[in-house]
Amino acid sequence: MIDLQQDADGYIRMNRHFPSTTLITVTFTEGAPEVFTGKRLNEIYDEAMAEFRSQNRLDAKGFSRAPAKTVQPMNNLTFVKIAPTAA
């Protein structure tokens, strides 16, 4: 059995999947423990990962699909016409 503690912000530390049949006890900040199966926590983890990836413009494998930055900026001014003011 694995024991996890919820932090003050409501998160548990989970950076990988747990075995599906493993029982995991999560102790919440108010002190109440609850037992989850590895399968259920993996589902929660996958939902959180999908939300994170969609908010950060990542694809299903975690690769960025944002437009590539070019060497020469496309939407920036390079030359600005200026004239002296009349005195």
Side-chain angles (χ1 to χ4, degrees):
M1 182 177 274
I2 299 171
D3 295 321
L4 299 174
Q5 181 77 32
Q6 184 185 35
D7 66 9
D9 295 326
Y11 297 98
I12 59 170
R13 183 176 177 90
M14 184 177 172
N15 57 2
R16 60 180 167 79
H17 278 169
F18 292 115
S20 296
T21 57
T22 303
L23 295 178
I24 298 132
T25 302
V26 176
T27 304
F28 294 99
T29 53
E30 64 270 358
E34 187 172 339
V35 178
F36 293 90
T37 62
K39 181 179 178 183
R40 179 64 188 131
L41 277 183
N42 292 342
E43 291 168 355
I44 294 169
Y45 176 81
D46 290 340
E47 291 169 7
M49 185 63 74
E51 181 180 345
F52 172 80
R53 287 179 175 162
S54 69
Q55 290 175 352
N56 290 291
R57 300 183 70 190
L58 303 175
D59 67 2
K61 291 187 175 185
F63 294 106
S64 176
R65 295 299 177 205
K69 294 185 178 184
T70 61
V71 176
Q72 298 295 328
M74 303 292 274
N75 296 329
N76 294 342
L77 290 175
T78 305
F79 298 100
V80 177
K81 185 175 181 178
I82 191 167
T85 57

